[in-house]
Amino acid sequence: MHSVWPGMLLCIVIATAAAFIADTRGGPTLLYALLLGMALNSVTVDSNARAGIDFAARRVLRLGVALLGARITLEQIGELGWFNGAVIIAGVLATILFGIGLSRLLGLDRRLGVLTGGATAICGASAAIAIATVLPRDEHSERELIFTIAGVTVLSTLAMVLYPTIVQVLDLTPGEAGIFLGGTIHDVAQVVGAGYSVSHEVGDYSVLTKMLRVAMLLPVVVTLSLLVRQRGRGSPQAVRDPLLPPFLLGFVALVAAGSLGWIPGPVAGAMNDFSRVCLVVAIAAVGLKTSLLEIRKVGRRAALLLGIEALFLVTFVLLAQQFH
């Protein structure tokens, strides 16, 4: 176990630096951790930090995803109403399926379509991380994950600035604006920023909508896990992986406990904060494992895939609201 500490400490130092930069200069902590890790990639090759970096990129990452369940309750989701809930759920599923189909059309790997479609549809970098843990892995897996995290982070920041303008141009009601912003912007922090920049009421609707999208992480990842296991039946990886990964069971348990009121508010807040810490440390590790040259190999078609997926989700949510 002691062999993981050099790499773990390196990831923690990078995560701390990323948090400091985000606090003092603004911007997304996950993206800073990713970029700092990538900048130090050449330093870690063939070093004694590899074991700890691998540990953080896999085990710490899964712990962070499991703890995301502490911030979701069924009561929060129910406040949206059946129509808005149906629109958001349909938007998530449609965007993932669209991403898979478009990736094939563009001549890209279907796995990249699942990864980018899920990140766009659910909750940005966190969804990309969770989905990547159950997808088949090969030499391209890490660079595809890095590309997706960086891409959705940039798009989410742009959306936070641009989408409130769409709200004003289309003269959406507070409820419609909240469903639109919460249903289309990738990351939770950017949803909060965009929603409350319009009004407090719009912000509340936006956050509730976003929580439903985050809750969709569980059924999506479970379904993908089952599909991957079915397709890989008989392979060593399929035999080794459990039917339902423990981190997903932890996610479910925390959602259930929070919904039943068993998690006090301060504890839920602390678990959410620790989840964020785990994810930043894990992303620093993923960055350390990947070089910038590898990311460039993903190509322009992948960037086009990500942009079109975001546009598809915006169009879907706005058109669906016209039928309400």
Side-chain angles (χ1 to χ4, degrees):
M1 183 66 181
H2 67 278
S3 64
V4 307
W5 282 112
M8 277 293 296
L9 289 174
L10 177 59
C11 295
I12 291 170
V13 168
I14 292 174
T16 303
F20 175 78
I21 295 171
D23 288 341
T24 56
R25 299 294 183 182
T29 307
L30 283 174
L31 183 59
Y32 290 140
L34 184 62
L35 295 176
L36 288 172
M38 291 171 62
L40 294 173
N41 167 262
S42 60
V43 178
T44 62
V45 175
D46 298 326
S47 72
N48 64 350
R50 294 297 300 179
I53 293 171
D54 291 338
F55 179 86
R58 185 168 176 82
R59 301 293 181 85
V60 176
L61 184 151
R62 291 190 169 204
L63 175 61
V65 172
L67 292 175
L68 287 174
R71 67 183 182 186
I72 303 170
T73 66
L74 298 178
E75 182 182 2
Q76 291 173 329
I77 296 168
E79 293 179 18
L80 288 174
W82 72 268
F83 180 84
N84 290 327
V87 167
I88 298 306
I89 293 172
V92 168
L93 299 177
T95 303
I96 294 173
L97 293 174
F98 178 79
I100 295 171
L102 184 60
S103 66
R104 304 298 288 176
L105 188 64
L106 293 173
L108 298 168
D109 192 289
R110 180 168 52 187
R111 181 182 57 196
L112 183 60
V114 174
L115 194 60
T116 57
T120 300
I122 302 174
C123 53
S126 299
I129 293 167
I131 290 170
T133 60
V134 297
L135 292 179
R137 293 180 294 276
D138 61 19
E139 67 274 13
H140 305 306
S141 300
E142 284 163 4
R143 78 183 186 198
E144 289 175 354
L145 176 59
I146 292 263
F147 164 80
T148 303
I149 291 171
V152 296
T153 302
V154 170
L155 286 177
S156 189
T157 303
L158 291 174
M160 181 179 66
V161 176
L162 298 176
Y163 287 10
T165 304
I166 296 176
V167 169
Q168 295 176 351
V169 170
L170 297 180
D171 195 25
L172 301 178
T173 66
E176 292 172 340
I179 297 299
F180 168 64
L181 295 175
T184 57
I185 298 178
H186 304 72
D187 291 318
V188 175
Q190 279 80 354
V191 168
V192 172
Y196 287 104
S197 71
V198 178
S199 72
H200 188 82
E201 187 177 4
V202 170
D204 289 345
Y205 271 109
S206 299
V207 171
L208 285 175
T209 303
K210 186 61 180 176
M211 286 301 98
L212 175 56
R213 288 173 70 196
V214 174
M216 286 295 293
L217 183 64
L218 174 64
V220 167
V221 175
V222 168
T223 301
L224 290 173
S225 178
L226 293 174
L227 289 174
V228 168
R229 187 181 179 87
Q230 180 69 25
R231 288 177 178 272
R233 180 177 293 175
S235 69
Q237 183 68 38
V239 173
R240 186 167 60 249
D241 287 344
L243 182 61
L244 288 179
F247 80 96
L248 288 183
L249 297 177
F251 185 98
V252 174
L254 289 175
V255 171
S259 300
L260 293 171
W262 294 351
I263 304 178
V267 175
M271 294 176 75
N272 187 40
D273 290 341
F274 188 62
S275 169
R276 187 71 175 174
V277 170
C278 289
L279 293 180
V280 175
V281 170
I283 289 305
V286 173
L288 285 167
K289 296 178 67 175
T290 309
S291 70
L292 184 59
L293 292 176
E294 288 295 310
I295 297 302
R296 292 183 61 185
K297 293 179 183 178
V298 178
R300 295 180 180 178
R301 287 177 298 169
L304 182 62
L305 169 67
L306 198 54
I308 295 176
E309 286 169 344
L311 182 60
F312 173 85
L313 183 59
V314 167
T315 304
F316 183 94
V317 173
L318 287 176
L319 289 179
Q321 288 186 319
Q322 303 306 309
F323 295 97
H324 191 197

Short mmCIF file of all heavy atoms in Angstrom, two decimals, residues 252-281:
data_model
loop_
_atom_site.label_atom_id
_atom_site.label_comp_id
_atom_site.label_asym_id
_atom_site.label_seq_id
_atom_site.Cartn_x
_atom_site.Cartn_y
_atom_site.Cartn_z
N VAL A 252 -26.48 4.59 -5.06
CA VAL A 252 -27.89 4.29 -4.79
C VAL A 252 -28.19 4.41 -3.31
O VAL A 252 -29.21 5.00 -2.91
CB VAL A 252 -28.24 2.86 -5.27
CG1 VAL A 252 -29.65 2.50 -4.86
CG2 VAL A 252 -28.11 2.76 -6.78
N ALA A 253 -27.32 3.85 -2.49
CA ALA A 253 -27.54 3.88 -1.04
C ALA A 253 -27.60 5.31 -0.51
O ALA A 253 -28.44 5.64 0.34
CB ALA A 253 -26.43 3.11 -0.33
N LEU A 254 -26.75 6.19 -1.03
CA LEU A 254 -26.73 7.57 -0.57
C LEU A 254 -27.96 8.34 -1.04
O LEU A 254 -28.51 9.16 -0.29
CB LEU A 254 -25.45 8.27 -1.03
CG LEU A 254 -24.18 7.81 -0.33
CD1 LEU A 254 -22.95 8.47 -0.95
CD2 LEU A 254 -24.25 8.14 1.16
N VAL A 255 -28.40 8.08 -2.26
CA VAL A 255 -29.64 8.72 -2.75
C VAL A 255 -30.81 8.29 -1.87
O VAL A 255 -31.65 9.12 -1.45
CB VAL A 255 -29.92 8.36 -4.22
CG1 VAL A 255 -31.30 8.85 -4.64
CG2 VAL A 255 -28.86 8.98 -5.13
N ALA A 256 -30.90 6.99 -1.57
CA ALA A 256 -31.99 6.48 -0.74
C ALA A 256 -31.92 7.06 0.67
O ALA A 256 -32.94 7.49 1.24
CB ALA A 256 -31.93 4.95 -0.69
N ALA A 257 -30.72 7.09 1.24
CA ALA A 257 -30.57 7.62 2.60
C ALA A 257 -30.92 9.10 2.66
O ALA A 257 -31.59 9.55 3.60
CB ALA A 257 -29.13 7.39 3.08
N GLY A 258 -30.49 9.86 1.65
CA GLY A 258 -30.83 11.27 1.62
C GLY A 258 -32.31 11.51 1.45
O GLY A 258 -32.90 12.41 2.06
N SER A 259 -32.96 10.70 0.63
CA SER A 259 -34.40 10.83 0.40
C SER A 259 -35.20 10.52 1.65
O SER A 259 -36.28 11.08 1.87
CB SER A 259 -34.83 9.90 -0.75
OG SER A 259 -34.15 10.22 -1.94
N LEU A 260 -34.69 9.61 2.48
CA LEU A 260 -35.38 9.23 3.72
C LEU A 260 -35.02 10.15 4.89
O LEU A 260 -35.53 9.97 6.00
CB LEU A 260 -35.02 7.78 4.09
CG LEU A 260 -35.55 6.70 3.13
CD1 LEU A 260 -34.93 5.35 3.47
CD2 LEU A 260 -37.07 6.63 3.18
N GLY A 261 -34.15 11.13 4.62
CA GLY A 261 -33.79 12.08 5.67
C GLY A 261 -32.78 11.54 6.66
O GLY A 261 -32.66 12.06 7.77
N TRP A 262 -32.06 10.49 6.29
CA TRP A 262 -31.10 9.88 7.21
C TRP A 262 -29.75 10.58 7.20
O TRP A 262 -28.89 10.27 8.03
CB TRP A 262 -30.91 8.40 6.85
CG TRP A 262 -32.14 7.56 7.07
CD1 TRP A 262 -33.29 7.94 7.69
CD2 TRP A 262 -32.32 6.20 6.67
NE1 TRP A 262 -34.19 6.91 7.70
CE2 TRP A 262 -33.63 5.82 7.08
CE3 TRP A 262 -31.53 5.27 6.01
CZ2 TRP A 262 -34.14 4.55 6.85
CZ3 TRP A 262 -32.04 4.00 5.77
CH2 TRP A 262 -33.34 3.64 6.20
N ILE A 263 -29.53 11.46 6.22
CA ILE A 263 -28.25 12.17 6.14
C ILE A 263 -28.47 13.63 6.56
O ILE A 263 -29.14 14.38 5.85
CB ILE A 263 -27.66 12.13 4.73
CG1 ILE A 263 -27.51 10.68 4.24
CG2 ILE A 263 -26.29 12.82 4.70
CD1 ILE A 263 -26.97 10.57 2.82
N PRO A 264 -27.96 14.05 7.72
CA PRO A 264 -28.11 15.45 8.14
C PRO A 264 -27.51 16.41 7.10
O PRO A 264 -26.55 16.05 6.40
CB PRO A 264 -27.33 15.51 9.45
CG PRO A 264 -27.26 14.09 9.93
CD PRO A 264 -27.20 13.25 8.68
N GLY A 265 -28.07 17.59 7.02
CA GLY A 265 -27.61 18.57 6.05
C GLY A 265 -26.12 18.82 6.07
O GLY A 265 -25.46 18.78 5.01
N PRO A 266 -25.52 19.08 7.24
CA PRO A 266 -24.07 19.32 7.28
C PRO A 266 -23.26 18.12 6.80
O PRO A 266 -22.22 18.29 6.15
CB PRO A 266 -23.81 19.59 8.77
CG PRO A 266 -25.11 20.08 9.30
CD PRO A 266 -26.16 19.32 8.55
N VAL A 267 -23.74 16.91 7.11
CA VAL A 267 -23.02 15.71 6.66
C VAL A 267 -23.10 15.57 5.15
O VAL A 267 -22.11 15.26 4.48
CB VAL A 267 -23.61 14.45 7.34
CG1 VAL A 267 -22.95 13.18 6.79
CG2 VAL A 267 -23.42 14.52 8.85
N ALA A 268 -24.30 15.81 4.59
CA ALA A 268 -24.46 15.75 3.13
C ALA A 268 -23.56 16.78 2.45
O ALA A 268 -22.94 16.49 1.42
CB ALA A 268 -25.92 16.00 2.75
N GLY A 269 -23.48 17.98 3.03
CA GLY A 269 -22.60 19.01 2.48
C GLY A 269 -21.15 18.60 2.51
O GLY A 269 -20.40 18.81 1.55
N ALA A 270 -20.74 17.98 3.64
CA ALA A 270 -19.36 17.53 3.77
C ALA A 270 -19.04 16.41 2.77
O ALA A 270 -17.96 16.38 2.17
CB ALA A 270 -19.10 17.05 5.19
N MET A 271 -20.01 15.51 2.58
CA MET A 271 -19.80 14.41 1.63
C MET A 271 -19.71 14.95 0.20
O MET A 271 -18.91 14.46 -0.60
CB MET A 271 -20.94 13.40 1.74
CG MET A 271 -20.97 12.67 3.07
SD MET A 271 -22.39 11.56 3.23
CE MET A 271 -21.90 10.22 2.17
N ASN A 272 -20.52 15.96 -0.11
CA ASN A 272 -20.47 16.58 -1.43
C ASN A 272 -19.11 17.25 -1.66
O ASN A 272 -18.52 17.12 -2.74
CB ASN A 272 -21.60 17.60 -1.57
CG ASN A 272 -21.71 18.16 -2.96
OD1 ASN A 272 -21.57 17.45 -3.95
ND2 ASN A 272 -21.96 19.46 -3.06
N ASP A 273 -18.61 17.93 -0.63
CA ASP A 273 -17.31 18.59 -0.74
C ASP A 273 -16.19 17.55 -0.91
O ASP A 273 -15.27 17.74 -1.72
CB ASP A 273 -17.03 19.43 0.51
CG ASP A 273 -17.92 20.66 0.60
OD1 ASP A 273 -18.49 21.05 -0.45
OD2 ASP A 273 -18.07 21.20 1.71
N PHE A 274 -16.28 16.45 -0.15
CA PHE A 274 -15.26 15.41 -0.27
C PHE A 274 -15.32 14.72 -1.63
O PHE A 274 -14.29 14.35 -2.18
CB PHE A 274 -15.42 14.38 0.86
CG PHE A 274 -14.30 13.38 0.92
CD1 PHE A 274 -13.00 13.80 1.16
CD2 PHE A 274 -14.53 12.04 0.71
CE1 PHE A 274 -11.95 12.89 1.22
CE2 PHE A 274 -13.50 11.12 0.75
CZ PHE A 274 -12.20 11.54 1.01
N SER A 275 -16.54 14.58 -2.15
CA SER A 275 -16.70 14.02 -3.50
C SER A 275 -15.97 14.89 -4.51
O SER A 275 -15.26 14.39 -5.39
CB SER A 275 -18.19 13.94 -3.86
OG SER A 275 -18.35 13.64 -5.24
N ARG A 276 -16.12 16.19 -4.37
CA ARG A 276 -15.46 17.12 -5.28
C ARG A 276 -13.94 16.98 -5.18
O ARG A 276 -13.23 16.97 -6.18
CB ARG A 276 -15.89 18.55 -4.95
CG ARG A 276 -15.40 19.61 -5.92
CD ARG A 276 -16.11 19.49 -7.24
NE ARG A 276 -15.74 20.57 -8.14
CZ ARG A 276 -16.13 20.65 -9.40
NH1 ARG A 276 -16.90 19.70 -9.91
NH2 ARG A 276 -15.77 21.65 -10.17
N VAL A 277 -13.44 16.86 -3.94
CA VAL A 277 -12.00 16.69 -3.73
C VAL A 277 -11.50 15.43 -4.43
O VAL A 277 -10.48 15.43 -5.12
CB VAL A 277 -11.68 16.64 -2.22
CG1 VAL A 277 -10.23 16.21 -1.99
CG2 VAL A 277 -11.93 17.99 -1.57
N CYS A 278 -12.25 14.33 -4.25
CA CYS A 278 -11.85 13.06 -4.87
C CYS A 278 -11.80 13.18 -6.39
O CYS A 278 -10.88 12.68 -7.04
CB CYS A 278 -12.83 11.95 -4.48
SG CYS A 278 -12.71 11.42 -2.76
N LEU A 279 -12.79 13.85 -6.96
CA LEU A 279 -12.85 13.99 -8.41
C LEU A 279 -11.69 14.85 -8.93
O LEU A 279 -11.10 14.54 -9.97
CB LEU A 279 -14.19 14.58 -8.85
CG LEU A 279 -15.42 13.68 -8.62
CD1 LEU A 279 -16.68 14.39 -9.10
CD2 LEU A 279 -15.26 12.35 -9.35
N VAL A 280 -11.35 15.91 -8.20
CA VAL A 280 -10.24 16.76 -8.64
C VAL A 280 -8.92 15.99 -8.56
O VAL A 280 -8.09 16.05 -9.48
CB VAL A 280 -10.17 18.04 -7.78
CG1 VAL A 280 -8.94 18.87 -8.15
CG2 VAL A 280 -11.42 18.89 -7.97
N VAL A 281 -8.72 15.23 -7.48
CA VAL A 281 -7.51 14.42 -7.34
C VAL A 281 -7.44 13.38 -8.46
O VAL A 281 -6.38 13.15 -9.07
CB VAL A 281 -7.47 13.73 -5.97
CG1 VAL A 281 -6.34 12.69 -5.90
CG2 VAL A 281 -7.28 14.76 -4.86
#
